[in-house]
Amino acid sequence: MSRSLPTGVVVSAFVRSLAIQGSWNYRTMLGSGFAFALLPGLRHLYGGASDEIRVPVERHLEHFNAHPYLAGVALGAVLRLEADGADPEMVRRLKLAIRGPLGSLGDALIWATVLPGVALAALTLAWLGAPAWVVVTVFLVLYNAVHVVLRIWGFRAGMRAGREVGRVLAGADLAGWTRRIEPVVVLLLGALVGAVVGGAGGLVEAGAPWLALTAVAFLVGLFGGHRTWRPAAVLTVVAIGAVTLIGGLT
Amino acid sequence: MDILRLSALGGLLGLDGTAVGQFMVSRPLVAGVLTGWMSGDVGVGLAIGMLLELYLLVSVPSGGARFPEAATATVVAVACAAPFEGAGAVVLAVAVGLVWGQVGGASVDAGRHLNDRFVPEPGDAGDPAARVTRVHLVAILADFLRGATVTATGIVSGRFVVRSFVDRWPLDGSASMALLLIGGAVSAGILLNDLGGFRRRKVWFTAGLALGIVGSRFL
Amino acid sequence: MAIVLYRVDERLIHGQVVIGWGHELRPEAYLLVDDELAESEWEQELYRLGAGAVPVDFASVEEARRRLGEWREDARRSILLTRDIRTMRRLGQDRLLAGASVNLGGIHHGPGRTEVLRYLHLTEEDREDLRSLTEEGAEIAARDLPDAPRVPLSTLLKD
């Protein structure tokens, strides 16, 4: 049994997928959000009455997790399989198998690479004196070009490939894209550091002691990694408090 | 009432952080400029947005990890700096933003634990289709109210702090910026570590550095 | 011994394994022991995606029991994963896992399961299987990530 889904149902599922993290929770993570996004499709396939739809909805309330931009890959594939009348156990196994890669591929590509890259580009522009609206426009347009394309591509890839979506994901080589973009992000990071050190109102103008302190802080982050973030933030706040107190006394 | 409007902004941008869209209007750079525009000082909005963006460069809404909430912290910081004059206003507001980011992050975590108690699971009584829609939409509304409340309380307490201490700030603009950049430099270092470390990336990093220095001299 | 970790984790290859344990142990292969997975090519494709550049071998329990010696003598460092405790018990039958440390990584809550640790929910059969594995010489402890505390089986099964 294979049934086609009306455009309205497909569009509705996609739009709902934008809010798939709306009821994020530690028990089922995106489980309830996944069922919420799938609901228009399930209503169309199984009928709207509560006793008809109860079992299919319950199947999709289970634990699910993914990067939000790639969750649509799973959603599309599951919609396809539900429309094809696939075995529920197989659908469940697809969701179990795909959540790991959709999380790790998306985290590496988006959170660890594209987002910092675009933010660095916008920060460098801002530091060089670009007007605020230019900075914000560049950031939002560049970032969301990647974001929106990825969402639409993923959802459609899932809808088309169904169970075989793993092959499509492997072919798209998201990990390869991450590796290729990473050096560009490093270049942008270097550019921002260069602009902040050498530019007008930069650290060179502030004086050698400030420059030295900043260099030390950079090395602490470089060799200490993420565990240095919180102490650094706490120290910053404490330092600001201390300078304020000293300033108040003199 | 500007606090009411700014709280609504904090609530909306907070939604973008996790629950709805994630177009990254919740990032400090965007949230800062928007808040600055609403408070009549885009320049301060951009300056604080830049600094907090730098600090939060390595803090992203990944999976179940706990992270400082960028959107509400930025709205709070800009709203606290805008009414006051002098270099101290920006510095103190950034400190308020860093502290309030933790408060926001804790409130996100609490909201997720609250959702634990309401999300339907297989085998629950009642009509699961109706319940999943209701719980999902209420959770989104609750997250908006959470963000707005965090923003409002942050603005009220943050403005009190800035008002009390802004006149005591002893450093000039250039030194104030340098002080804030020390903390930001830690994030830049962490990012380079994440991207493979200096040894593996020295060519790209040095090339960028040269480009940045030369570019900043000519532009 | 080239199998550097035996782990039960219902998610098999995922962030905790690839990032958490992967950075610590630097595996050169993942060995996924699961009867259904060994037969299912489309699922294998998905699990391979999560492992990045590290190759993944799939084997049924029977095949794994035959190849265990070969894997242990292999120069490649590998992480062996099963999705449930029953599979690990079947793999270890007749003291095949005697002396090995078996890591309990993640089994989340579900019907008939009670919480033992935040990331570990066991059924009565699971407990039975774990006792039997211990009697056959395996050393069992729970630990989701390498820097988390190691909780030995005796503590886990204390009611």
Side-chain angles (χ1 to χ4, degrees), chain A residues 120-196:
Chain A
L120 287 166
L123 278 174
T124 308
L125 275 180
W127 192 266
L128 295 178
W133 67 269
V134 173
V135 174
V136 169
T137 307
V138 166
F139 175 83
L140 288 178
V141 170
L142 272 182
Y143 179 79
N144 285 302
V146 178
H147 162 203
V148 174
V149 165
L150 188 63
R151 286 229 203 219
I152 295 174
W153 168 82
F155 182 68
R156 290 172 53 132
M159 284 281 295
R160 262 203 305 270
R163 194 182 77 171
E164 306 300 322
V165 73
R167 199 159 303 156
V168 180
L169 277 171
D173 193 21
L174 297 178
W177 281 103
T178 305
R179 273 195 305 278
R180 283 188 283 276
I181 299 171
E182 267 175 357
V184 181
V185 182
V186 175
L187 184 89
L188 288 164
L189 176 63
L192 176 67
V193 173
V196 168

Side-chain angles (χ1 to χ4, degrees), chain A residues 33-249:
Chain A
F34 195 90
F36 172 77
L38 203 57
L39 209 49
L42 295 179
R43 281 221 173 91
H44 175 78
L45 294 166
Y46 294 92
S50 75
D51 55 327
E52 292 169 322
I53 205 172
R54 176 184 186 91
V55 172
V57 170
E58 285 200 330
R59 284 197 272 114
H60 291 291
L61 285 171
E62 285 184 6
H63 180 279
F64 183 72
N65 201 18
H67 188 281
Y69 299 172
L70 290 177
V73 176
L75 186 68
V78 167
L79 260 179
R80 164 89 277 131
L81 292 172
E82 289 285 353
D84 288 350
D87 173 19
E89 178 59 17
M90 192 254 276
V91 177
R92 194 180 73 88
R93 292 182 68 99
L94 173 93
K95 286 174 72 180
L96 287 180
I98 206 171
R99 56 188 178 179
L102 290 187
S104 55
L105 290 171
D107 282 358
L109 177 64
I110 299 298
W111 297 151
T113 310
V114 172
L115 177 61
V118 178
L120 287 166
L123 278 174
T124 308
L125 275 180
W127 192 266
L128 295 178
W133 67 269
V134 173
V135 174
V136 169
T137 307
V138 166
F139 175 83
L140 288 178
V141 170
L142 272 182
Y143 179 79
N144 285 302
V146 178
H147 162 203
V148 174
V149 165
L150 188 63
R151 286 229 203 219
I152 295 174
W153 168 82
F155 182 68
R156 290 172 53 132
M159 284 281 295
R160 262 203 305 270
R163 194 182 77 171
E164 306 300 322
V165 73
R167 199 159 303 156
V168 180
L169 277 171
D173 193 21
L174 297 178
W177 281 103
T178 305
R179 273 195 305 278
R180 283 188 283 276
I181 299 171
E182 267 175 357
V184 181
V185 182
V186 175
L187 184 89
L188 288 164
L189 176 63
L192 176 67
V193 173
V196 168
V197 171
L203 285 166
V204 168
E205 288 177 18
W210 293 112
L211 192 58
L213 280 171
T214 315
V216 169
F218 181 77
L219 291 174
V220 165
L222 176 59
F223 293 107
H226 275 269
R227 65 174 181 274
T228 61
W229 191 89
R230 192 180 288 264
V234 171
L235 255 175
T236 304
V237 174
V238 170
I240 291 170
V243 171
T244 310
L245 279 182
I246 294 163
L249 296 176

Side-chain angles (χ1 to χ4, degrees), chain A residues 16 18-29 31-36 39 43 50 53-55 57-59 61-62 65 67-69 107 111-113 115-116 118-120 122-124 126-128 130-133 135-136 139-140 143-144 147-148 151 179 182-206 210 213-215 217-230 232-233 236-237 239-241 243-250, chain B residues 17-25 27 29-30 33-34 42 46 49-51 53-66 68 91-92 94-96 98-99 102 108-109 111-113 115-133 135-137 139-140 143 165-166 168-171 174-195 197-213 215-217 219:
Chain A
R16 282 172 178 236
L18 298 178
I20 200 161
Q21 296 197 119
S23 52
W24 207 108
N25 64 90
Y26 289 105
R27 269 202 309 166
T28 67
M29 296 197 175
S32 46
F34 195 90
F36 172 77
L39 209 49
R43 281 221 173 91
S50 75
I53 205 172
R54 176 184 186 91
V55 172
V57 170
E58 285 200 330
R59 284 197 272 114
L61 285 171
E62 285 184 6
N65 201 18
H67 188 281
Y69 299 172
D107 282 358
W111 297 151
T113 310
L115 177 61
V118 178
L120 287 166
L123 278 174
T124 308
W127 192 266
L128 295 178
W133 67 269
V135 174
V136 169
F139 175 83
L140 288 178
Y143 179 79
N144 285 302
H147 162 203
V148 174
R151 286 229 203 219
R179 273 195 305 278
E182 267 175 357
V184 181
V185 182
V186 175
L187 184 89
L188 288 164
L189 176 63
L192 176 67
V193 173
V196 168
V197 171
L203 285 166
V204 168
E205 288 177 18
W210 293 112
L213 280 171
T214 315
F218 181 77
L219 291 174
V220 165
L222 176 59
F223 293 107
H226 275 269
R227 65 174 181 274
T228 61
W229 191 89
R230 192 180 288 264
T236 304
V237 174
I240 291 170
V243 171
T244 310
L245 279 182
I246 294 163
L249 296 176
T250 52
Chain B
T18 305
V20 184
Q22 298 198 300
F23 293 95
M24 293 299 118
V25 288
R27 291 301 296 182
L29 210 44
V30 185
V33 170
L34 279 176
V42 175
L46 179 64
M50 284 167 69
L51 285 160
E53 186 69 51
L54 183 61
Y55 275 87
L56 298 179
L57 209 48
V58 289
S59 164
V60 291
S62 165
R66 260 177 92 165
V91 180
L92 290 168
V94 168
V96 167
L98 287 173
V99 171
Q102 299 297 323
V108 169
D109 188 58
R112 292 173 165 190
H113 279 297
N115 287 344
D116 279 355
R117 298 166 56 174
F118 296 104
V119 291
E121 275 189 275
D124 286 353
D127 174 359
R131 180 147 169 234
V132 78
T133 308
V135 168
H136 199 75
L137 296 177
I140 290 172
D143 194 50
F165 297 107
V166 67
R168 298 190 189 182
W169 184 253
L171 303 179
S174 166
S176 301
M177 180 58 92
L179 175 69
L180 290 172
L181 286 174
I182 297 172
V186 175
S187 290
I190 297 172
L191 184 60
L192 183 55
N193 178 309
D194 281 355
L195 291 164
F198 180 74
R199 201 164 301 168
R200 229 184 97 203
R201 300 294 192 188
K202 54 180 176 291
V203 175
W204 286 92
F205 185 73
T206 315
L209 201 64
L211 210 68
I213 292 173
S216 63
R217 288 287 152 190
L219 290 170

